[in-house]
Amino acid sequence: VNFAFRLLGGDAEGPRLGLFTTPHGEVPTPAFMAVATRGMLRGISPAVLRPMGASIVLSNALHLFLRPGPETVRALGGIHGMLAWDGAVLTDSGGFQIFSLASLCRVTDAGVFYKDPVRGRILWTPEKAFEVQAALGPDIAMVLDHCPVEPTDKDLVAPAVARTLRWGRIQRDLHAARGGTASGQALFGIVQGGVFPDLREECARGLREMEFDGYAVGGVSLGEGPEAMMDSVRTTTARLPRDRVRYLMGVGSPRELVEAVARGIDLFDCVFPTRTGRFATALTWGGRLHLKNARFREDCAPIEPGCPCLSCQSEVPRGALRAGFLAGEFLPPILVSQHNLHFTLTLMGRIRESLQKGSFPALAAEIRGAYPGKTPGPPPGDAILEGSSPPIPGGAPSIRNPNR
Ligand SMILES: [Zn+2]
């Protein structure tokens, strides 16, 4: 079997425990994908990924198409060779990146015209996105969709849904002609629809009829606010088939991971852990730490005492990291990014364990305590299951809602 998704626990709309089998190994879900947009993780050696608990990595087809180009990637052993990673790989189609640079792009029914600073004007079409991903060789390819940058404007979102469905069908047909998952690659559809439940439903229904191998919730975390975002997630997962992987694109703060799992999401990607790390913010079980803060000047503790990650085990004191950040040294961003990714992957492991033991609500409460913020709590009607959980560490300041 090339691909299989086995649901090991959970229900249609609430938290789910699963096992996603790919040609490059098993992905226990809920899972977090470390981001290697240009074929390289930022400041993280591939050698430390497995020990951290990673099973799947994300890269970006459009970026790799532009630089170094699919021929070069193939010469390097395909996307797995380039990443030096033998686990599962998912590539995004690049639509989000284009649309987030609205001034550099123009959308037509054929595709998106994009002005690249180096390669000049290119037309990125559904056919091209599919063909490039087939050449790169990830385990999972994403469809090119139309992701409107303003998710609260119905006049923009409705045509984007229609286009997403039209492009989805083109790519589904190309995938079927290539043999579907027998080609060694799965293809996921992407549900758009902004903050509008009727459009989310229309898009989910249309994609579902096309029978994709998995489904993503796209077009979220674009400034619509945490409540509207979690409403969109719940609206969408409620309309997706139970036996397919559900992937929430570009979301990954500790709090959001927990809340989206509570709403039935299996897979995540986000630059949040590494980006916050580069900007001197450490994610810990007690909340986030701003390491440039003066209170860390003479702090001899590692980032998080007791943390088994390589950064904390190296015992570089917080005070030294602070001094290094202020001096523009490049080691501190690497050490804190590495700790944050380790933290995030450990959180996913704890989420899976809690789902197995029935203690997810206790873990969710712990994370809500450490990362208060505005992200809404349990979805309405969420079943409260009793179970054991580690003690809740001390409180911490709130975390901002990140974009990817
Ligand atoms: Zn650590």
Side-chain angles (χ1 to χ4, degrees), residues 143-206:
V143 295
L144 177 64
D145 58 336
H146 183 179
C147 177
V149 285
E150 181 39 80
T152 55
D153 184 342
K154 205 164 190 176
D155 291 339
L156 294 178
V157 178
V161 164
R163 199 168 274 138
T164 293
L165 289 171
R166 207 156 46 233
W167 290 358
R169 186 170 295 281
I170 293 171
Q171 294 165 94
R172 195 280 316 264
D173 289 348
L174 289 169
H175 181 54
R178 211 174 154 238
T181 52
S183 66
Q185 199 166 79
L187 182 67
F188 283 14
I190 303 175
V191 180
Q192 291 292 341
V195 298
F196 306 101
D198 56 329
L199 293 179
R200 288 267 167 201
E201 179 168 6
E202 180 192 334
C203 198
R205 193 182 341 108

Short mmCIF file of all heavy atoms in Angstrom, two decimals, residues 143-206:
data_model
loop_
_atom_site.label_atom_id
_atom_site.label_comp_id
_atom_site.label_asym_id
_atom_site.label_seq_id
_atom_site.Cartn_x
_atom_site.Cartn_y
_atom_site.Cartn_z
N VAL A 143 -2.97 20.96 -4.57
CA VAL A 143 -3.50 21.61 -5.76
C VAL A 143 -3.16 23.10 -5.73
O VAL A 143 -2.95 23.67 -4.65
CB VAL A 143 -5.05 21.48 -5.87
CG1 VAL A 143 -5.46 20.04 -6.06
CG2 VAL A 143 -5.73 22.11 -4.67
N LEU A 144 -3.10 23.71 -6.91
CA LEU A 144 -3.06 25.17 -6.97
C LEU A 144 -4.50 25.64 -6.76
O LEU A 144 -5.41 25.20 -7.47
CB LEU A 144 -2.53 25.66 -8.32
CG LEU A 144 -2.52 27.19 -8.49
CD1 LEU A 144 -1.55 27.85 -7.50
CD2 LEU A 144 -2.14 27.58 -9.92
N ASP A 145 -4.68 26.50 -5.78
CA ASP A 145 -6.01 27.04 -5.49
C ASP A 145 -5.94 28.55 -5.63
O ASP A 145 -4.88 29.11 -5.89
CB ASP A 145 -6.44 26.66 -4.06
CG ASP A 145 -5.43 27.16 -3.02
OD1 ASP A 145 -4.25 27.38 -3.38
OD2 ASP A 145 -5.82 27.34 -1.85
N HIS A 146 -7.07 29.21 -5.48
CA HIS A 146 -7.08 30.67 -5.46
C HIS A 146 -7.37 31.10 -4.03
O HIS A 146 -8.47 30.93 -3.53
CB HIS A 146 -8.13 31.23 -6.43
CG HIS A 146 -8.11 32.74 -6.49
ND1 HIS A 146 -8.93 33.45 -7.31
CD2 HIS A 146 -7.35 33.66 -5.83
CE1 HIS A 146 -8.69 34.77 -7.14
NE2 HIS A 146 -7.74 34.91 -6.25
N CYS A 147 -6.34 31.64 -3.39
CA CYS A 147 -6.45 32.06 -1.99
C CYS A 147 -6.56 33.58 -1.94
O CYS A 147 -5.57 34.28 -2.09
CB CYS A 147 -5.21 31.60 -1.22
SG CYS A 147 -5.19 32.13 0.49
N PRO A 148 -7.79 34.11 -1.76
CA PRO A 148 -7.91 35.57 -1.71
C PRO A 148 -7.29 36.11 -0.43
O PRO A 148 -7.43 35.51 0.63
CB PRO A 148 -9.43 35.80 -1.73
CG PRO A 148 -10.05 34.52 -1.33
CD PRO A 148 -9.04 33.42 -1.46
N VAL A 149 -6.57 37.24 -0.54
CA VAL A 149 -5.88 37.76 0.64
C VAL A 149 -6.82 38.43 1.63
O VAL A 149 -6.45 38.70 2.76
CB VAL A 149 -4.76 38.76 0.26
CG1 VAL A 149 -3.58 38.01 -0.31
CG2 VAL A 149 -5.26 39.81 -0.71
N GLU A 150 -8.05 38.72 1.18
CA GLU A 150 -9.02 39.38 2.06
C GLU A 150 -10.18 38.42 2.30
O GLU A 150 -11.14 38.38 1.52
CB GLU A 150 -9.50 40.69 1.38
CG GLU A 150 -10.49 41.48 2.18
CD GLU A 150 -10.19 41.51 3.67
OE1 GLU A 150 -9.32 42.28 4.09
OE2 GLU A 150 -10.83 40.73 4.42
N PRO A 151 -10.09 37.59 3.38
CA PRO A 151 -11.06 36.51 3.55
C PRO A 151 -12.45 36.97 4.01
O PRO A 151 -13.35 36.17 4.14
CB PRO A 151 -10.42 35.63 4.64
CG PRO A 151 -9.57 36.57 5.42
CD PRO A 151 -9.10 37.63 4.46
N THR A 152 -12.61 38.31 4.24
CA THR A 152 -13.90 38.79 4.74
C THR A 152 -14.69 39.54 3.66
O THR A 152 -15.74 40.10 3.94
CB THR A 152 -13.69 39.73 5.94
OG1 THR A 152 -12.80 40.79 5.55
CG2 THR A 152 -13.06 38.99 7.12
N ASP A 153 -14.17 39.59 2.43
CA ASP A 153 -14.86 40.28 1.33
C ASP A 153 -15.49 39.24 0.41
O ASP A 153 -14.81 38.59 -0.39
CB ASP A 153 -13.85 41.16 0.57
CG ASP A 153 -14.53 41.98 -0.52
OD1 ASP A 153 -15.67 41.65 -0.91
OD2 ASP A 153 -13.91 42.97 -0.98
N LYS A 154 -16.81 39.09 0.52
CA LYS A 154 -17.50 38.03 -0.22
C LYS A 154 -17.37 38.19 -1.73
O LYS A 154 -17.35 37.21 -2.48
CB LYS A 154 -18.97 37.96 0.18
CG LYS A 154 -19.58 36.59 -0.04
CD LYS A 154 -20.88 36.40 0.70
CE LYS A 154 -21.29 34.93 0.65
NZ LYS A 154 -22.51 34.65 1.42
N ASP A 155 -17.28 39.44 -2.20
CA ASP A 155 -17.16 39.67 -3.64
C ASP A 155 -15.83 39.14 -4.19
O ASP A 155 -15.70 38.89 -5.38
CB ASP A 155 -17.26 41.18 -3.95
CG ASP A 155 -18.67 41.68 -3.70
OD1 ASP A 155 -19.61 40.85 -3.69
OD2 ASP A 155 -18.84 42.90 -3.49
N LEU A 156 -14.85 39.00 -3.32
CA LEU A 156 -13.56 38.43 -3.74
C LEU A 156 -13.52 36.93 -3.48
O LEU A 156 -12.94 36.16 -4.26
CB LEU A 156 -12.40 39.09 -2.97
CG LEU A 156 -12.11 40.57 -3.22
CD1 LEU A 156 -10.97 41.05 -2.33
CD2 LEU A 156 -11.78 40.81 -4.69
N VAL A 157 -14.15 36.51 -2.38
CA VAL A 157 -14.04 35.11 -1.97
C VAL A 157 -14.87 34.19 -2.87
O VAL A 157 -14.42 33.11 -3.23
CB VAL A 157 -14.42 34.95 -0.47
CG1 VAL A 157 -14.36 33.48 -0.07
CG2 VAL A 157 -13.49 35.77 0.41
N ALA A 158 -16.07 34.63 -3.25
CA ALA A 158 -16.95 33.77 -4.06
C ALA A 158 -16.32 33.37 -5.40
O ALA A 158 -16.28 32.18 -5.74
CB ALA A 158 -18.31 34.42 -4.26
N PRO A 159 -15.77 34.32 -6.18
CA PRO A 159 -15.11 33.92 -7.44
C PRO A 159 -13.87 33.04 -7.19
O PRO A 159 -13.55 32.18 -8.01
CB PRO A 159 -14.69 35.24 -8.08
CG PRO A 159 -15.34 36.32 -7.33
CD PRO A 159 -15.80 35.79 -6.01
N ALA A 160 -13.20 33.27 -6.05
CA ALA A 160 -12.01 32.46 -5.73
C ALA A 160 -12.42 31.01 -5.47
O ALA A 160 -11.70 30.08 -5.84
CB ALA A 160 -11.28 33.04 -4.52
N VAL A 161 -13.58 30.81 -4.85
CA VAL A 161 -14.08 29.45 -4.61
C VAL A 161 -14.39 28.77 -5.95
O VAL A 161 -14.00 27.63 -6.19
CB VAL A 161 -15.33 29.47 -3.70
CG1 VAL A 161 -16.08 28.15 -3.75
CG2 VAL A 161 -14.91 29.78 -2.26
N ALA A 162 -15.06 29.51 -6.84
CA ALA A 162 -15.41 28.95 -8.16
C ALA A 162 -14.14 28.54 -8.91
O ALA A 162 -14.06 27.46 -9.50
CB ALA A 162 -16.20 29.98 -8.96
N ARG A 163 -13.13 29.40 -8.85
CA ARG A 163 -11.87 29.13 -9.55
C ARG A 163 -11.13 27.96 -8.89
O ARG A 163 -10.57 27.10 -9.58
CB ARG A 163 -11.01 30.39 -9.53
CG ARG A 163 -9.93 30.41 -10.56
CD ARG A 163 -9.32 31.78 -10.67
NE ARG A 163 -10.02 32.67 -11.56
CZ ARG A 163 -10.25 33.97 -11.30
NH1 ARG A 163 -9.87 34.49 -10.16
NH2 ARG A 163 -10.88 34.71 -12.18
N THR A 164 -11.15 27.91 -7.58
CA THR A 164 -10.51 26.81 -6.85
C THR A 164 -11.13 25.47 -7.26
O THR A 164 -10.43 24.47 -7.45
CB THR A 164 -10.65 27.04 -5.32
OG1 THR A 164 -9.86 28.18 -4.97
CG2 THR A 164 -10.18 25.83 -4.52
N LEU A 165 -12.46 25.45 -7.43
CA LEU A 165 -13.13 24.21 -7.84
C LEU A 165 -12.78 23.85 -9.29
O LEU A 165 -12.52 22.70 -9.61
CB LEU A 165 -14.65 24.36 -7.68
CG LEU A 165 -15.13 24.41 -6.22
CD1 LEU A 165 -16.61 24.77 -6.15
CD2 LEU A 165 -14.88 23.06 -5.52
N ARG A 166 -12.75 24.86 -10.16
CA ARG A 166 -12.42 24.61 -11.57
C ARG A 166 -10.99 24.08 -11.69
O ARG A 166 -10.71 23.10 -12.36
CB ARG A 166 -12.60 25.90 -12.37
CG ARG A 166 -12.93 25.67 -13.83
CD ARG A 166 -13.66 26.86 -14.45
NE ARG A 166 -13.07 28.14 -14.11
CZ ARG A 166 -13.75 29.17 -13.59
NH1 ARG A 166 -15.03 29.06 -13.34
NH2 ARG A 166 -13.13 30.31 -13.34
N TRP A 167 -10.06 24.75 -11.03
CA TRP A 167 -8.65 24.32 -11.06
C TRP A 167 -8.49 22.96 -10.38
O TRP A 167 -7.68 22.14 -10.79
CB TRP A 167 -7.77 25.35 -10.37
CG TRP A 167 -7.62 26.65 -11.12
CD1 TRP A 167 -8.16 26.96 -12.34
CD2 TRP A 167 -6.90 27.81 -10.69
NE1 TRP A 167 -7.82 28.23 -12.70
CE2 TRP A 167 -7.05 28.79 -11.71
CE3 TRP A 167 -6.16 28.13 -9.56
CZ2 TRP A 167 -6.47 30.06 -11.62
CZ3 TRP A 167 -5.57 29.39 -9.48
CH2 TRP A 167 -5.73 30.34 -10.49
N GLY A 168 -9.27 22.75 -9.34
CA GLY A 168 -9.20 21.46 -8.62
C GLY A 168 -9.54 20.30 -9.54
O GLY A 168 -8.87 19.27 -9.53
N ARG A 169 -10.58 20.50 -10.36
CA ARG A 169 -10.99 19.42 -11.26
C ARG A 169 -9.90 19.12 -12.29
O ARG A 169 -9.61 17.97 -12.59
CB ARG A 169 -12.31 19.79 -11.95
CG ARG A 169 -12.90 18.67 -12.79
CD ARG A 169 -14.30 18.99 -13.24
NE ARG A 169 -15.26 19.10 -12.13
CZ ARG A 169 -15.83 18.07 -11.51
NH1 ARG A 169 -15.53 16.84 -11.89
NH2 ARG A 169 -16.69 18.26 -10.54
N ILE A 170 -9.28 20.18 -12.83
CA ILE A 170 -8.20 20.00 -13.82
C ILE A 170 -7.09 19.14 -13.21
O ILE A 170 -6.61 18.17 -13.82
CB ILE A 170 -7.62 21.38 -14.23
CG1 ILE A 170 -8.66 22.18 -15.03
CG2 ILE A 170 -6.33 21.21 -15.03
CD1 ILE A 170 -8.27 23.63 -15.29
N GLN A 171 -6.69 19.46 -11.97
CA GLN A 171 -5.57 18.76 -11.35
C GLN A 171 -5.96 17.36 -10.90
O GLN A 171 -5.17 16.43 -10.95
CB GLN A 171 -5.02 19.62 -10.18
CG GLN A 171 -4.42 20.92 -10.70
CD GLN A 171 -4.20 21.96 -9.61
OE1 GLN A 171 -3.13 22.06 -9.04
NE2 GLN A 171 -5.22 22.76 -9.31
N ARG A 172 -7.21 17.22 -10.47
CA ARG A 172 -7.71 15.88 -10.10
C ARG A 172 -7.64 14.96 -11.34
O ARG A 172 -7.22 13.80 -11.25
CB ARG A 172 -9.14 15.99 -9.57
CG ARG A 172 -9.65 14.77 -8.83
CD ARG A 172 -10.12 13.65 -9.76
NE ARG A 172 -10.92 14.11 -10.86
CZ ARG A 172 -12.24 14.13 -10.88
NH1 ARG A 172 -12.90 13.72 -9.83
NH2 ARG A 172 -12.90 14.55 -11.96
N ASP A 173 -8.06 15.50 -12.51
CA ASP A 173 -8.03 14.70 -13.74
C ASP A 173 -6.59 14.33 -14.13
O ASP A 173 -6.32 13.21 -14.57
CB ASP A 173 -8.72 15.45 -14.88
CG ASP A 173 -10.24 15.53 -14.67
OD1 ASP A 173 -10.75 14.81 -13.77
OD2 ASP A 173 -10.91 16.31 -15.37
N LEU A 174 -5.67 15.28 -13.99
CA LEU A 174 -4.25 14.99 -14.30
C LEU A 174 -3.72 13.91 -13.36
O LEU A 174 -2.98 13.01 -13.77
CB LEU A 174 -3.40 16.26 -14.16
CG LEU A 174 -3.62 17.34 -15.23
CD1 LEU A 174 -2.92 18.64 -14.83
CD2 LEU A 174 -3.10 16.86 -16.58
N HIS A 175 -4.10 13.99 -12.10
CA HIS A 175 -3.68 13.03 -11.09
C HIS A 175 -4.24 11.64 -11.43
O HIS A 175 -3.51 10.64 -11.38
CB HIS A 175 -4.19 13.51 -9.72
CG HIS A 175 -3.83 12.63 -8.56
ND1 HIS A 175 -2.54 12.25 -8.27
CD2 HIS A 175 -4.61 12.06 -7.60
CE1 HIS A 175 -2.53 11.49 -7.18
NE2 HIS A 175 -3.78 11.35 -6.76
N ALA A 176 -5.52 11.59 -11.80
CA ALA A 176 -6.15 10.31 -12.16
C ALA A 176 -5.46 9.71 -13.38
O ALA A 176 -5.19 8.51 -13.43
CB ALA A 176 -7.64 10.51 -12.41
N ALA A 177 -5.12 10.57 -14.37
CA ALA A 177 -4.48 10.09 -15.60
C ALA A 177 -3.09 9.52 -15.30
O ALA A 177 -2.59 8.66 -16.01
CB ALA A 177 -4.37 11.24 -16.61
N ARG A 178 -2.47 10.00 -14.22
CA ARG A 178 -1.14 9.53 -13.83
C ARG A 178 -1.22 8.28 -12.96
O ARG A 178 -0.21 7.74 -12.54
CB ARG A 178 -0.45 10.67 -13.06
CG ARG A 178 1.05 10.71 -13.21
CD ARG A 178 1.66 11.94 -12.56
NE ARG A 178 3.04 11.64 -12.19
CZ ARG A 178 3.54 11.71 -10.96
NH1 ARG A 178 2.77 12.11 -9.97
NH2 ARG A 178 4.79 11.40 -10.72
N GLY A 179 -2.45 7.85 -12.68
CA GLY A 179 -2.62 6.63 -11.89
C GLY A 179 -3.02 6.87 -10.45
O GLY A 179 -3.01 5.95 -9.64
N GLY A 180 -3.33 8.11 -10.12
CA GLY A 180 -3.70 8.42 -8.73
C GLY A 180 -2.56 8.13 -7.77
O GLY A 180 -1.39 8.35 -8.11
N THR A 181 -2.87 7.59 -6.59
CA THR A 181 -1.82 7.33 -5.60
C THR A 181 -0.85 6.23 -6.05
O THR A 181 0.25 6.11 -5.51
CB THR A 181 -2.42 6.94 -4.24
OG1 THR A 181 -3.34 5.88 -4.43
CG2 THR A 181 -3.12 8.11 -3.58
N ALA A 182 -1.26 5.42 -7.08
CA ALA A 182 -0.35 4.40 -7.59
C ALA A 182 0.89 5.03 -8.22
O ALA A 182 1.92 4.38 -8.40
CB ALA A 182 -1.07 3.52 -8.61
N SER A 183 0.81 6.36 -8.52
CA SER A 183 1.97 7.07 -9.07
C SER A 183 3.02 7.30 -7.99
O SER A 183 4.12 7.78 -8.28
CB SER A 183 1.51 8.42 -9.64
OG SER A 183 1.03 9.25 -8.58
N GLY A 184 2.66 7.02 -6.73
CA GLY A 184 3.60 7.27 -5.63
C GLY A 184 3.39 8.64 -5.00
O GLY A 184 4.12 9.05 -4.11
N GLN A 185 2.38 9.37 -5.50
CA GLN A 185 2.11 10.70 -5.00
C GLN A 185 0.62 10.84 -4.71
O GLN A 185 -0.21 10.41 -5.51
CB GLN A 185 2.52 11.73 -6.06
CG GLN A 185 2.72 13.13 -5.55
CD GLN A 185 3.45 14.00 -6.58
OE1 GLN A 185 2.87 14.49 -7.54
NE2 GLN A 185 4.75 14.18 -6.38
N ALA A 186 0.31 11.45 -3.57
CA ALA A 186 -1.09 11.77 -3.24
C ALA A 186 -1.35 13.22 -3.59
O ALA A 186 -0.41 14.02 -3.67
CB ALA A 186 -1.34 11.54 -1.75
N LEU A 187 -2.60 13.55 -3.86
CA LEU A 187 -2.97 14.93 -4.19
C LEU A 187 -4.08 15.39 -3.24
O LEU A 187 -5.11 14.73 -3.11
CB LEU A 187 -3.44 15.03 -5.64
CG LEU A 187 -3.83 16.43 -6.14
CD1 LEU A 187 -2.62 17.36 -6.20
CD2 LEU A 187 -4.50 16.36 -7.51
N PHE A 188 -3.81 16.51 -2.56
CA PHE A 188 -4.79 17.06 -1.62
C PHE A 188 -5.50 18.27 -2.24
O PHE A 188 -4.86 19.11 -2.87
CB PHE A 188 -4.11 17.55 -0.32
CG PHE A 188 -3.71 16.45 0.64
CD1 PHE A 188 -3.68 15.11 0.26
CD2 PHE A 188 -3.36 16.78 1.95
CE1 PHE A 188 -3.30 14.12 1.16
CE2 PHE A 188 -2.99 15.79 2.86
CZ PHE A 188 -2.96 14.46 2.46
N GLY A 189 -6.81 18.34 -2.06
CA GLY A 189 -7.58 19.53 -2.45
C GLY A 189 -7.54 20.56 -1.33
O GLY A 189 -7.23 20.23 -0.18
N ILE A 190 -7.83 21.81 -1.66
CA ILE A 190 -7.79 22.89 -0.66
C ILE A 190 -9.14 23.61 -0.61
O ILE A 190 -9.61 24.12 -1.62
CB ILE A 190 -6.68 23.92 -0.98
CG1 ILE A 190 -5.31 23.23 -1.07
CG2 ILE A 190 -6.65 25.01 0.10
CD1 ILE A 190 -4.17 24.15 -1.50
N VAL A 191 -9.74 23.63 0.58
CA VAL A 191 -11.03 24.28 0.76
C VAL A 191 -10.81 25.77 1.03
O VAL A 191 -10.15 26.14 2.00
CB VAL A 191 -11.83 23.65 1.92
CG1 VAL A 191 -13.17 24.36 2.09
CG2 VAL A 191 -12.02 22.16 1.69
N GLN A 192 -11.36 26.61 0.15
CA GLN A 192 -11.37 28.06 0.36
C GLN A 192 -12.78 28.46 0.81
O GLN A 192 -13.60 27.59 1.06
CB GLN A 192 -10.96 28.78 -0.93
CG GLN A 192 -9.48 28.57 -1.30
CD GLN A 192 -8.53 29.25 -0.33
OE1 GLN A 192 -8.90 30.15 0.43
NE2 GLN A 192 -7.27 28.80 -0.31
N GLY A 193 -13.04 29.74 0.88
CA GLY A 193 -14.37 30.19 1.28
C GLY A 193 -14.33 31.28 2.34
O GLY A 193 -15.38 31.73 2.80
N GLY A 194 -13.12 31.72 2.71
CA GLY A 194 -12.99 32.81 3.66
C GLY A 194 -13.76 32.55 4.94
O GLY A 194 -13.78 31.43 5.44
N VAL A 195 -14.42 33.57 5.46
CA VAL A 195 -15.15 33.44 6.73
C VAL A 195 -16.61 33.07 6.49
O VAL A 195 -17.42 33.11 7.42
CB VAL A 195 -15.08 34.76 7.55
CG1 VAL A 195 -13.64 35.09 7.90
CG2 VAL A 195 -15.74 35.91 6.79
N PHE A 196 -16.97 32.69 5.25
CA PHE A 196 -18.38 32.47 4.90
C PHE A 196 -18.73 30.98 4.90
O PHE A 196 -18.27 30.22 4.03
CB PHE A 196 -18.68 33.10 3.53
CG PHE A 196 -18.29 34.55 3.49
CD1 PHE A 196 -17.11 34.94 2.87
CD2 PHE A 196 -19.08 35.50 4.11
CE1 PHE A 196 -16.73 36.27 2.86
CE2 PHE A 196 -18.70 36.84 4.10
CZ PHE A 196 -17.52 37.23 3.48
N PRO A 197 -19.55 30.56 5.88
CA PRO A 197 -19.88 29.14 6.01
C PRO A 197 -20.49 28.56 4.72
O PRO A 197 -20.19 27.43 4.35
CB PRO A 197 -20.89 29.10 7.15
CG PRO A 197 -20.63 30.34 7.95
CD PRO A 197 -20.16 31.36 6.96
N ASP A 198 -21.35 29.35 4.01
CA ASP A 198 -21.98 28.81 2.80
C ASP A 198 -20.94 28.55 1.72
O ASP A 198 -21.00 27.55 1.00
CB ASP A 198 -23.10 29.74 2.31
CG ASP A 198 -22.61 31.17 2.07
OD1 ASP A 198 -21.67 31.61 2.77
OD2 ASP A 198 -23.15 31.84 1.17
N LEU A 199 -19.93 29.44 1.61
CA LEU A 199 -18.90 29.25 0.60
C LEU A 199 -17.96 28.10 0.99
O LEU A 199 -17.53 27.32 0.14
CB LEU A 199 -18.10 30.54 0.39
CG LEU A 199 -18.88 31.70 -0.25
CD1 LEU A 199 -18.00 32.93 -0.38
CD2 LEU A 199 -19.43 31.29 -1.62
N ARG A 200 -17.64 28.01 2.28
CA ARG A 200 -16.83 26.88 2.77
C ARG A 200 -17.53 25.56 2.43
O ARG A 200 -16.92 24.60 1.98
CB ARG A 200 -16.62 26.98 4.28
CG ARG A 200 -15.67 28.08 4.71
CD ARG A 200 -14.25 27.59 4.85
NE ARG A 200 -13.29 28.69 4.95
CZ ARG A 200 -12.00 28.59 4.69
NH1 ARG A 200 -11.49 27.43 4.31
NH2 ARG A 200 -11.20 29.62 4.77
N GLU A 201 -18.85 25.53 2.68
CA GLU A 201 -19.61 24.31 2.44
C GLU A 201 -19.63 23.96 0.94
O GLU A 201 -19.41 22.81 0.56
CB GLU A 201 -21.05 24.50 2.95
CG GLU A 201 -21.89 23.27 2.70
CD GLU A 201 -23.22 23.29 3.43
OE1 GLU A 201 -23.56 24.32 4.05
OE2 GLU A 201 -23.91 22.26 3.36
N GLU A 202 -19.84 25.00 0.11
CA GLU A 202 -19.88 24.78 -1.34
C GLU A 202 -18.53 24.23 -1.83
O GLU A 202 -18.48 23.28 -2.62
CB GLU A 202 -20.19 26.12 -2.03
CG GLU A 202 -20.25 26.04 -3.55
CD GLU A 202 -20.27 27.44 -4.18
OE1 GLU A 202 -20.73 28.40 -3.53
OE2 GLU A 202 -19.81 27.55 -5.34
N CYS A 203 -17.45 24.82 -1.33
CA CYS A 203 -16.12 24.41 -1.77
C CYS A 203 -15.81 22.99 -1.28
O CYS A 203 -15.32 22.15 -2.04
CB CYS A 203 -15.07 25.40 -1.27
SG CYS A 203 -13.51 25.30 -2.16
N ALA A 204 -16.13 22.72 0.00
CA ALA A 204 -15.86 21.39 0.55
C ALA A 204 -16.67 20.33 -0.20
O ALA A 204 -16.15 19.26 -0.53
CB ALA A 204 -16.19 21.36 2.04
N ARG A 205 -17.93 20.63 -0.48
CA ARG A 205 -18.78 19.66 -1.18
C ARG A 205 -18.24 19.37 -2.58
O ARG A 205 -18.12 18.23 -3.00
CB ARG A 205 -20.23 20.17 -1.25
CG ARG A 205 -21.20 19.09 -1.66
CD ARG A 205 -22.66 19.53 -1.81
NE ARG A 205 -23.02 20.76 -1.15
CZ ARG A 205 -23.28 21.90 -1.80
NH1 ARG A 205 -23.19 21.96 -3.11
NH2 ARG A 205 -23.64 22.98 -1.13
N GLY A 206 -17.88 20.45 -3.30
CA GLY A 206 -17.37 20.30 -4.66
C GLY A 206 -16.09 19.47 -4.70
O GLY A 206 -15.93 18.57 -5.53
#
